[in-house]
Amino acid sequence: MANAVERSCTMLVYNDKQASASEIKEALEGNDPLAKQAAMKKAVSLLLAGEQLPALFITIVRYVLPSEDHMVQKLLLLYLEAIEKTDSTGKLLPEMILICQNLRNNLQHPNEYIRGVTLRFLCRIKEEEILEPLVPSILANLEHRHSYVRRNAVLAINSIYKLPKGELLMPDAPETIERLLRQEQDLSTRRNCLAMLTNHAIDRAIRYLLDSADQLGNWGDLLQLSALDLIRKACRTNPAEKGKFIKTILVLLQSPSPAVMYECAVTLTSLSSAPSAVRAAANCFCTLLASHSDNNVKLIVLDRLQELKEKHREVMTEVVMDTLRALSSPSLDIRKKTLDISLDLITARNIDEVVGVLKKEVVKTQNKEYDKAGEYRQMLVQAIHSCAVKFPEVAGNVVHVLMDFLGDANTASALDVIFFVREIMETNARLRPNVLERLHTIFYQIRSSRVVSCALWIMGEYCAVTSEIVAALATLKEALGPVPFLAEPTEEEPATTAAGGGASAVVPTASVGSKRPAVLADGTYATQSAVAEVSSASALAATGAGSGPNLRALLLAGDFFLGGVVAGTQVKLLLRLKALKETPAPQLNAYTAEAMQYVVATLRLGEAAGATPTPLDADSRDRMMLCLRVLAGQDTWSNEVWLADCRAAFASLTHERQREANARKASADARAAVQPDDLIDFQVLKNRKGLSQLEVEDEVTSDLARATGYAEAAAAASSRLNRVLQLTGLSDPVYAEAVVTVHQYDIVLDVTVTNRTAETMQALCLELATMGDLKLVERPQNYTLAPGDTKLIRANIKVSSTETGVIFGNIVYEGTGYAERSVVVLNDIHIDIMDYISPAYCADVQFRNMWAEFEWENKVAIATSFTDVAAFLQHIIATTNMKCLTPPSALEGECGYLAANLYAKSVFGEDALVNVSVERTSGGPDGAGGRLVGYIRIRSKTQGIALSLGDKITLMQKAPPATAAA
């Protein structure tokens, strides 16, 4: 197997039709050029498919070599590239000598195309016996009049000089190429010359670059990119000399080519941490972000800005406004990433400018022609909400603008606005009167039940003075309309009819409704009227529940949960009004009677058969009956709950969220503190030695990086040792161990192989195979290991999804005293899902939306030896590497029941949602000794992560005996 894959493949050709050697030979012996072309294509395809055609070689030498057709000559070179040129011992086949003369003739051919393709063919030839007689002809082509020939001659020299004996074949190649570089005018040829010097004579390339520093701006983009490759390689070879290249990069940063600008900025940030260099790179990225129209380019540039933000946040705060210019893109992905970057760069200096830009963008979304306005508005509202949480003083500038969107048809956007308003009301007491006034004004526009419920809660909790309470009661009365919601049948209209249809009811002038017979429980008919809209001027026909005032329309549509919210709001308002003792008793009694009338009307609406699409549920009925008793003065014990406890619970929740946000920010911004005995570096006292300010700045930052980087390097080495997996036994002839490193989309397997025998192992090959969504991307190579020698073999494996996979394989080698190959089977390497996911945070609303949206669910029954619900939850969090979104305050206490939400994000951007619902059953008389029961539900957008995470939880939920007993 190893010998079959040892040869490298330089081309791939699809072949859907097989042909026989006799057919190919017959076509080649003819005089038709088109037939020869087709025959040569078939011959090359057969060779690449593994067929051996030894009898065809002489025919090709006789009939194809003399051909003058350019296409035939090109196919001949492909054929020569595909055939085996050496025997089993590695010696050149004798018949290959026939080819050398033809290649020499091609290199001296009067047509530049034949010369060029022949030179390109020689770039892929590794046999030195073929190349040696052609060296003079290759060098002679460096002086050809056509640039196509010269540039391919440089490529051929580069590949020949790279061979093990290349320096012997062309000892003066670097000097010749440098001389050509200094006098050449063709851009591609100069690029190839500089690349050759960069690979084989870097000192000559650096000398040329520094000599041409004044002309860098006039170089073409191809040559400038090659110069950047030279700078990167020179700095890797000798990091101490990078200071003299930074000015060169800054010159190239002014190039008109976007590719050169991007590469310059990336190179600059990789070489230097000086603020001036980082600032120049950030400005370059922002320029590309604003000027380039390709969305893929913008996403790549935003990724680079994200990396800069993590390492150089202070510098990036200066370009936050330039970054926000990317919001003009119509792509939601670009807008979201731009907002994510910008929100982390907000400071007290730029908050006003950032909020001003966001307000303008919100206003733009009012345009009906705006693409995806609802989703974009939701992102903007969330961004403004985040700004207001960090800097409460800006809330007054945006809250009124956002409240205009409470009646938005996009419920998610309107919910974000009302949640923002609710939080502002709690954290910013100064804005409460103005916000309440504005809420009363636009309340009639709100048509979403969830938004209306939150708005009613705000009214009930934050209306503190008599004028505000009276205004809120008036707003509710206007939104509910007159009572009753069901029109009573008149005396002329019988409740039942004996035969046929019932008589139509007379609609009162004060109400307009629709009547239809309803079937009662005993099978008789009754007529009822649901009033949808009232007009004092004229009787209008009501067409459905969506017409009329918003609260009335929602109640007629069967939303009785909202009816309970309305009743609770009225109770809170009237209890506060009574506590203020500023309202006369008759007026207060009138307000109370009116509120009770609305509650009773809602109850009658729900209890009437067929009046609404959905019947009245028991919870809503109990809540409204409780409100009636409170309004009647029968349940005074609950007044403190209505007036204080509800708001105190929300205040506690808000403070808990702010504390968690501050903790996350502090951990993200945590940096190594300066120790008391650390060295203080004064830049003004540093020996400049003729260096520029930028070079001095770069030296200082490099010194600081070296001084603070040792701990990080030690930590990285320690974590690497923790990932070592033993693949073979200590008594095996080959000892192998692997370090598995999971990157974003691939797995790097570093396998260390040691020969533990006293004999040389030849053709040692690491053969791997995978199970699951893992794919090997490299062919195994053969190695020779001396006795006691060690070799590091690296294998790359691509990952396509978040699923558990297995890597297995063996090591095959040939010993000096064995006729057959020996095989050592390796231990399996299990790729755990925990390597792909990491803890993440998301808002409660976002979690609920994803929970409702995701279609894949895995339900795992709890079967554990734990007896404490809190300890079990901590065990699940630790073993699944997830973040608990439920605040600690909600998990306190010893009630024997617990429900918590966990969240994590995979490296592929997939979301993993987990809900843990666990209860301790009663064991003994005191409740001790019970076992835990319940379910863990996992939801995700893809099947793989839900199944893999479920398997992991099932495997790990049983605790170690010591932990379970604790």
Side-chain angles (χ1 to χ4, degrees), residues 334-365:
I334 294 176
R335 289 169 172 171
K336 185 178 186 307
K337 188 167 287 190
T338 302
L339 289 174
D340 292 341
I341 294 173
S342 302
L343 291 180
D344 289 339
L345 300 175
I346 295 175
T347 62
R349 293 183 177 181
N350 57 28
I351 180 64
D352 293 332
E353 296 177 340
V354 172
V355 171
V357 172
L358 297 180
K359 282 175 60 178
K360 291 180 181 178
E361 292 295 321
V362 169
V363 174
K364 288 181 183 177
T365 60

Side-chain angles (χ1 to χ4, degrees), residues 876-909:
I876 293 297
I877 293 173
T879 55
T880 57
N881 197 25
M882 302 189 79
K883 167 76 174 177
C884 181
L885 300 182
T886 306
S889 59
L891 301 176
E892 295 176 352
E894 292 291 340
C895 64
Y897 175 80
L898 183 145
N901 293 330
L902 311 182
Y903 178 69
K905 207 172 185 66
S906 74
V907 295
F908 306 102

